[in-house]
Amino acid sequence: MEAKPPRRTRERILELSLKLFNEIGEPNVTTTTIAEEMEISPGNLYYHFRNKDDIINSIFSQFEQEIGKRLRFPEGRRATIDEMWAYLQYMVEFTWRYRFLYRDLNDLLARNRTLETQFKQIISHKVRFARQFCEQLMADNEMEATPAEIQVISTNIGVIATYWLSYQFVMNPRKYNEPETIRAELHQVSMQIISLMAPYLRGCSRQLFDDLVSGKLPRREYADYLPPRENNTSKTQNSASPRPASKVLRS
């Protein structure tokens, strides 16, 4: 088998920085910390990045490109409650990969102008996506709500999806020493979001919600929801380390 080319130093710095930011918190990581973990000189690190904010902005740029692709349903899928559940579980795994951005968000926004401007747009995109989903349910006679109610539901979905990790931290700060526990509990956000819509659901969607709550719907791996390229990667990872928390419901 042909050996893969070695990753460039810049890519390794970004990968390691993301890992450190996620594991011990961005405020607790310095460029010196990153250089020491990389086993390179600070001068070598500064050759690739001017400072820590430059590293954060580069990671955020990756995050921004990826989330832009995810804030839409794949072609050929209808807006149904079980599809929304699967999608939310899929997004949980993405949130986990960039969790420092959500957990340390307010601190980052207070001192990083790029994130202050761009993250506002991402939240607006989340709210718009939620509104479009609700409007599709309305068009299918699966939901009854006024435009004002739809806007409130959509905004609440955007808020919960963005700040659920912060809520978890406030309620159980000591559990952040147990990352797999936090990761498993992060999946609870799917139920919180779906429940916001429940009082307005009708017909099949209401029944799907009831079945979801009661556990009647069969389950699937969240990887089944991924595009083919990501699906292959995820299945490779799952074969090495099963993650029961990443299961979602199948229609």
Side-chain angles (χ1 to χ4, degrees):
M1 180 181 296
E2 184 179 350
K4 293 183 179 180
R7 287 170 298 161
R8 295 182 302 168
T9 301
R10 178 182 173 85
E11 293 170 349
R12 291 172 53 229
I13 291 172
L14 290 177
E15 183 178 312
L16 178 63
S17 298
L18 177 59
K19 181 176 184 292
L20 292 173
F21 293 159
N22 282 337
E23 291 182 353
I24 64 178
E26 178 274 332
N28 301 316
V29 178
T30 66
T31 52
T32 300
T33 307
I34 297 168
E36 289 177 350
E37 289 291 325
M38 283 282 297
E39 297 183 349
I40 61 175
S41 68
N44 194 349
L45 187 144
Y46 291 129
Y47 174 79
H48 296 280
F49 298 97
R50 296 187 303 275
N51 47 43
K52 190 171 79 167
D53 273 353
D54 195 14
I55 295 174
I56 292 170
N57 290 342
S58 295
I59 292 174
F60 181 75
S61 180
Q62 294 176 354
F63 165 83
E64 195 173 26
Q65 291 176 16
E66 292 181 36
I67 200 170
K69 299 174 184 177
R70 286 165 169 75
L71 286 175
R72 63 172 70 96
F73 276 114
E75 292 184 10
R77 291 183 186 255
R78 291 179 60 247
T80 63
I81 293 302
D82 52 335
E83 283 292 340
M84 184 62 162
W85 175 270
Y87 170 81
L88 289 170
Q89 297 288 71
Y90 160 52
M91 285 299 292
V92 161
E93 292 298 318
F94 176 72
T95 300
W96 180 254
R97 170 166 166 73
Y98 291 98
R99 59 191 178 276
F100 88 93
L101 286 172
Y102 290 91
R103 185 188 58 214
D104 304 326
L105 182 58
N106 287 354
D107 181 63
L108 287 166
L109 297 183
R111 57 182 175 77
N112 188 306
R113 179 62 178 169
T114 298
L115 266 65
E116 178 188 351
T117 303
Q118 298 301 108
F119 214 94
K120 184 184 300 184
Q121 295 180 11
I122 288 173
I123 295 177
S124 296
H125 195 171
K126 289 181 179 181
V127 172
R128 184 166 60 253
F129 175 86
R131 185 177 66 248
Q132 291 170 347
F133 179 83
C134 291
E135 289 171 348
Q136 182 59 58
L137 288 175
M138 293 274 291
D140 291 341
N141 296 317
E142 295 290 305
M143 186 173 188
E144 291 182 10
T146 66
E149 288 170 333
I150 292 295
Q151 186 58 43
V152 170
I153 295 168
S154 304
T155 299
N156 288 343
I157 288 175
V159 171
I160 291 177
T162 302
Y163 283 98
W164 185 255
L165 263 176
S166 296
Y167 169 77
Q168 284 185 273
F169 180 73
V170 170
M171 298 304 293
N172 297 291
R174 296 182 185 275
K175 282 191 177 181
Y176 269 87
N177 294 323
E178 307 169 17
E180 287 308 312
T181 300
I182 294 298
R183 182 178 188 170
E185 292 182 355
L186 181 56
H187 284 262
Q188 296 175 10
V189 72
S190 302
M191 182 59 72
Q192 300 296 323
I193 289 175
I194 294 291
S195 295
L196 291 172
M197 305 165 65
Y200 305 93
L201 298 177
R202 302 292 182 267
C204 180
S205 290
R206 179 66 209 198
Q207 185 60 53
L208 282 170
F209 174 79
D210 292 340
D211 290 345
L212 173 66
V213 173
S214 66
K216 290 181 180 179
L217 292 180
R219 294 177 178 268
R220 68 179 175 186
E221 291 293 331
Y222 87 96
D224 292 344
Y225 197 81
L226 302 178
R229 183 176 179 181
E230 292 181 65
N231 200 341
N232 292 337
T233 302
S234 180
K235 286 181 178 179
T236 300
Q237 293 171 342
N238 285 344
S239 64
S241 177
R243 296 197 294 263
S246 64
K247 291 185 176 180
V248 297
L249 303 181
R250 185 196 299 277
S251 57

